[in-house]
Amino acid sequence: MSVRLEVTEKTGVAVVTLDRPHRLNAIDLDTARRLAQVWRDLRFDDSVRAVVLTGAGVRAFSTGLDRDAVVPQPASPYMQDDPLLTIGPKANDLWKPVIAAVEGMACGGAFYLLGECEFIVAGADAVFFDPHTTYGMVSAYESVLMAGRMPYGEAARMMLMGTAERLSAQRAHAVGLVSELTAPGEALGAATACATVIAAHPTTGVQGTVRALWSASEASRAAGWSQAPHLIALGNLPGEEQAELFGGRSGARPRVR
């Protein structure tokens, strides 16, 4: 099973684990479908009042979309299929609090998940980066989500530097992306402790607060979301089409998302 779900009814806390450590918890199409199903199932499980999301092993929380995943695309430039758009709890209408526990690498498509968690607890060895620009790709949805979680300059630096630079857990904590820093290997325990406290509070108050917090950034995120498909489509144009579009100055190679 690519995603594990463990529920402790005594505390009301569920732990959702990306369980593909041999692939650095990269998300293939089966994992994407499984994540969406888990979030939707948790909507109906009243014994669960708070959730922790983590990755198996210590090398990575997740490295985003699995490189071997084949995502069929419509021929029309007006339609794009992105399997990661439906992997997060909010995308599946789950308004129970979700806390991320990050060890190792969190990069690229992992931000679709981290961007929909209430807050992040990270081990001291965790690192955050986005490889898109290094490979000539547009970081659109990831950038929108991270710009809502970090100061603009910090988000811009991380997204634009690509694989040339990794944001350390310490720096992520300093700029507010990470809310709590732990010793390596202790993020899950700390996140679970937070979830246990939250799960003990009255449910209606907690879920209403989650919804209110999310609504605070919904307008700006929706605006960014509306631009993302067009920016990705432009970035995916073959080199010769980009050169024509930008007056022969592109020099870009074909892009593959």
Side-chain angles (χ1 to χ4, degrees):
M1 190 71 71
S2 58
V3 179
R4 284 189 283 115
L5 173 64
E6 301 165 276
V7 177
T8 303
E9 292 192 10
K10 182 178 179 180
T11 61
V13 174
V15 177
V16 176
T17 304
L18 298 171
D19 196 13
R20 303 184 77 223
H22 60 292
R23 298 290 294 177
L24 298 178
N25 297 318
I27 300 166
D28 61 3
L29 300 188
D30 176 70
T31 305
R33 286 189 290 266
R34 173 65 177 155
L35 276 167
Q37 188 61 56
V38 165
W39 299 130
R40 297 199 70 81
D41 288 347
L42 286 172
R43 295 169 69 240
F44 294 91
D45 189 343
D46 292 337
S47 71
V48 173
R49 300 182 295 280
V51 184
V52 175
L53 172 65
T54 192
V58 297
R59 296 178 61 199
F61 168 79
S62 175
T63 52
L65 186 65
D66 194 307
R67 288 185 178 185
D68 293 338
V70 177
V71 183
Q73 294 293 333
S76 170
Y78 300 104
M79 295 181 284
Q80 295 176 12
D81 281 351
D82 185 340
L84 300 187
L85 282 174
T86 57
I87 65 172
K90 307 302 186 297
N92 289 282
D93 203 35
L94 178 70
W95 300 103
K96 299 178 181 183
V98 180
I99 302 166
V102 176
E103 302 281 357
M105 292 182 287
C107 62
F111 296 151
Y112 284 74
L113 289 169
L114 296 182
E116 292 196 10
C117 292
E118 272 48 73
F119 57 89
I120 301 169
V121 177
D125 290 342
V127 292
F128 303 82
F129 64 99
D130 190 329
H132 282 74
T133 56
T134 297
Y135 300 107
M137 299 160 66
V138 175
S139 176
Y141 295 108
E142 298 88 347
S143 290
V144 170
L145 287 165
M146 289 300 99
R149 305 299 294 259
M150 306 165 63
Y152 175 82
E154 296 292 339
R157 178 171 180 139
M158 180 171 69
M159 310 318 273
L160 292 172
M161 293 292 285
T163 59
E165 183 174 288
R166 299 186 178 194
L167 185 72
S168 69
Q170 293 77 14
R171 182 62 181 166
H173 182 249
V175 302
L177 175 61
V178 168
S179 71
E180 181 178 352
L181 197 60
T182 74
E186 295 183 8
L188 177 58
T192 302
C194 290
T196 301
V197 170
I198 295 169
H201 297 331
T203 301
T204 53
V206 168
Q207 293 183 15
T209 300
V210 169
R211 192 64 186 86
L213 287 164
W214 188 250
S215 67
S217 62
E218 268 186 322
S220 59
R221 188 176 56 257
W225 239 235
S226 68
Q227 294 296 318
H230 314 300
L231 297 173
I232 293 168
L234 283 170
N236 283 344
L237 288 175
E240 59 274 13
E241 292 184 33
Q242 286 200 10
E244 181 179 351
L245 180 64
F246 295 110
R249 294 186 295 274
S250 172
R253 59 182 181 276
R255 278 123 191 233
V256 179
R257 183 175 175 78

